[in-house]
DNA sequence: GATCCTTGCAAATTATTTTCGTGATAAGTT
DNA sequence: AACTTATCACGAAAATAATTTGCAAGGATC
């Protein structure tokens, strides 16, 4: 699919010369993407044909195809390999954070289970009542975001970040209701309890969480969001951005499953347009 | 800087042949990025030299440089030109949203005022007390995010989304304090009032908002976040993602301005490691 | 010792760029 | 209005550069 994944997989099987080429890609990417095959060959101390063969090996048609592929994925793929910013210089820090965020989106997109999302969207669109559960700074934000997005389509929805409240809501929920729970860690046992309780009465439970986690196992429908973890505890923003995007996708698909949604949205839009005398229109963005 | 911006700017000045080349880029981008100069020339019904001249015109060294640039920016730049998803198919919707989000990050990165952010970071790092203000679904999230990030460095910080409370806090603030206010629209007049009030007592005010907006004009330091607006009211997620990234950058730079931050973070880390018997470590991610 | 893999050399092929010249258009001149 | 001149766009062909292929040598492995 993308060169960097292939490179990770093939790494062990590469010959010495090919390894030297790979090293240049990883270390001096800017050079690699701008160099001609001759320049690259010289720097890697190999012959041009070896470079061509290397390109074929990582799944490209030709050297120029390789460069295009490289340039295409590099923008988002690089940080995957270089986890720390080069320096404390504001420019480097900014670039590091931006690229990490874009990378998170990239990885999310690649690992997205569209069938699960579509299934979840259909259930949500038909639900008589929706509960959005999430606790902790990150997941509670996701829960309110869900509420924020879904009420606009005329759906009945409430968000809760309180475990006790979640349990009570889950206990009172009916089979026509849907619970959407978010857990970055997948280890929110309180959420698991709510899910288990709700499923006894036939409530549909949807989880936004790590695949195969405790929370995932407790839910009817799982929208898995698996991002490279590691340092993520100290840098949670990129993970959160991925979750936000996932909610955005889910909400958009819900809208397509609701015939009236277009009408409701149009009404909101007209109201906004009618209102916008003093550019008030923008105020609703805050 | 990137081809698509240049193309937008140069569009009017292009000759008929060059316009045909540009059209192919915009309509059949996949072809363009994979084609040789001859194939591209044939499709545009021009001669290869014309293609070379076109590449130079849009700021590239050569045709191959052009293709690399194209491939590089295309990943994020395409949605700029094609604002709607191709279909309602989940895959297309997902791709549309992801690309829009990445595009927002891309544009943020390009328009970032690093000097302002660095200046803001220094002020925040030295402040005796920090107030994070923001109202409405979007900006209030940014305010709590700021609190969430800054308290970890041992800073004194509180977030408020309540206009009345903001006014009172602003009135009581001292010259050693800092107010950070967020307004997506830049037209939050209540926030302007708080800023104005606070500045009377020499409080440093920092705004995350649109450049040249009302809020921007009322603040000491402006971290401008200007994204192509248009449909953004109905698709606020990508703008929010950009704001989140901006906060992330700001917070990281604050950390570098605080000598003890590393110590505090290390202590948190050690606590986490000590705690992680049952992989509890991950729980804090929620 | 046979086989397979890796690699570089040189030739062949292909792609790209430069040079140069033609024709068109626009502006200025008589 | 007709002519001249300048400027520009564009393509043909030549020149150059880059890339690929075929082949053979060297080295590792069985």
């Amino acid at each position: 699919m993308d060169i960097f994944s292939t490179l990770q997989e093939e790494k062990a099987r590469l010959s010495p010369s090919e390894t030297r080429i790979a090293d240049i890609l990883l270390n001096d990417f800017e050079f690699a993407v701008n160099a001609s095959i001759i320049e690259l060959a010289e720097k890697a101390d190999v012959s041009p044909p070896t470079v061509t063969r290397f390109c074929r090996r990582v799944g490209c048609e030709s050297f120029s195809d390789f460069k295009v592929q490289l340039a295409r994925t590099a923008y988002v793929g690089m940080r995957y390999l270089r986890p720390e910013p080069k320096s404390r210089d504001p420019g480097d820090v900014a670039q590091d954070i931006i690229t990490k965020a874009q990378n998170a989106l990239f990885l999310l997109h690649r690992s997205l289970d569209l069938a699960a999302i579509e299934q979840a969207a259909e259930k949500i669109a038909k639900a008589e009542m929706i509960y959005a559960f999430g606790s902790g700074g990150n997941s509670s934000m996701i829960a309110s975001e869900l509420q924020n997005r879904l009420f606009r389509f005329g759906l009945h929805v409430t968000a809760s970040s309180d475990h006790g409240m979640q349990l009570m809501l889950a206990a009172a929920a009916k089979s026509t209701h849907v619970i959407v729970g978010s857990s970055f860690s997948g280890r929110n046992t309180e959420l698991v309890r709510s899910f288990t309780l709700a499923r006894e009465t036939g409530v549909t439970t949807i989880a936004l969480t790590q695949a195969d986690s405790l929370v995932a196992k407790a839910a009817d429908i799982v929208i898995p969001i698996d991002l490279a973890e590691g340092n993520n505890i100290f840098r949670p923003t990129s993970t959160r951005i991925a979750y936000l995007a996932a909610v955005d996708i889910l909400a958009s698909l819900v809208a397509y499953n609701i015939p009236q949604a277009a009408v409701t949205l149009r009404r909101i839009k007209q109201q906004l347009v009618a209102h916008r005398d003093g550019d008030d229109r923008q105020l609703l963005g805050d």
Side-chain angles (χ1 to χ4, degrees), chain A:
Chain A
M1 177 155 181
D2 71 298
I3 290 196
F4 285 99
S5 319
T6 322
L7 217 55
Q8 299 272 346
E9 283 169 28
E10 289 279 312
K11 211 170 200 170
R13 281 185 290 269
L14 292 180
S15 71
S17 309
E18 288 174 329
T19 310
R20 283 204 300 281
I21 299 174
D23 283 344
I24 289 178
L25 294 190
L26 303 183
N27 293 324
D28 197 351
F29 166 81
E30 273 306 317
F31 168 83
V33 87
N34 289 314
S36 77
I37 195 171
I38 295 170
E39 292 168 320
L40 183 58
E42 262 175 23
K43 182 142 182 172
D45 210 16
V46 299
S47 67
T50 306
V51 176
T52 299
R53 285 186 279 255
F54 174 83
C55 299
R56 299 264 158 81
R57 178 140 195 184
V58 295
C60 299
E61 281 275 308
S62 63
F63 178 69
S64 42
D65 180 35
F66 168 79
K67 279 217 296 188
V68 167
Q69 300 277 83
L70 199 61
R72 182 179 282 203
T73 49
Y75 194 78
V76 287
M78 278 308 285
R79 292 294 146 177
Y80 196 51
L81 302 154
R82 303 181 150 268
E84 284 315 308
K86 280 174 268 176
S87 76
R88 292 178 163 208
D89 173 72
D92 287 339
V93 172
Q95 188 181 345
D96 178 59
I97 287 167
I98 297 281
T99 331
K100 266 182 184 145
Q102 286 184 319
N103 198 27
L105 289 166
F106 177 73
L107 293 174
L108 170 75
H109 190 194
R110 221 175 47 180
S111 67
L112 219 51
D113 183 345
L114 287 171
I117 295 190
E118 176 65 9
Q119 201 190 345
E122 283 166 17
K123 288 281 187 190
I124 290 172
K126 282 200 235 103
E128 285 179 359
M129 180 69 197
I130 300 144
Y131 308 95
F133 290 172
S135 309
N138 295 327
S139 281
S140 69
M141 191 207 77
I142 298 298
S144 24
E145 173 71 2
L146 261 169
Q147 175 175 33
N148 199 6
R149 293 298 300 270
L150 296 181
F151 90 85
R152 287 163 207 268
F153 309 143
L155 293 170
H156 309 134
V157 54
T158 185
S160 173
S161 60
D162 178 307
H163 290 312
M165 195 64 196
Q166 287 171 9
L167 268 177
M168 288 191 283
L169 288 169
K174 298 180 190 159
S175 64
T176 49
H177 297 180
V178 168
I179 297 178
V180 187
S182 158
S183 172
F184 283 28
S185 66
R187 306 187 156 273
N188 182 340
T189 46
E190 318 276 351
L191 183 58
V192 170
R193 207 177 303 162
S194 294
F195 274 1
T196 315
L197 188 60
R199 288 178 76 177
E200 284 173 16
T201 36
V203 177
T204 304
T205 54
I206 301 170
L208 281 135
T209 191
Q210 283 189 23
D212 303 320
S213 64
L214 287 177
V215 171
K217 284 185 185 122
D220 293 311
I221 302 173
V222 181
I223 299 173
I225 301 182
D226 298 310
L227 299 175
E229 290 152 56
N231 315 9
N232 271 0
I233 300 165
F234 307 109
R235 246 311 132 69
T237 307
S238 29
T239 311
R240 184 154 38 202
I241 283 174
Y243 269 78
L244 267 179
V247 168
D248 199 359
I249 293 167
L250 180 61
S252 301
L253 291 176
V254 169
Y256 289 138
N257 276 289
I258 301 175
Q260 320 103 285
V263 182
T264 313
L265 280 176
R266 203 175 314 128
R267 214 176 53 218
I268 296 179
K269 186 171 186 167
Q270 276 165 354
Q271 278 229 333
L272 286 174
V273 172
H275 250 258
R276 72 166 165 190
D277 314 319
D279 251 343
D280 269 2
R281 177 175 76 110
Q282 297 195 350
L283 247 180
L284 283 125
D286 251 39

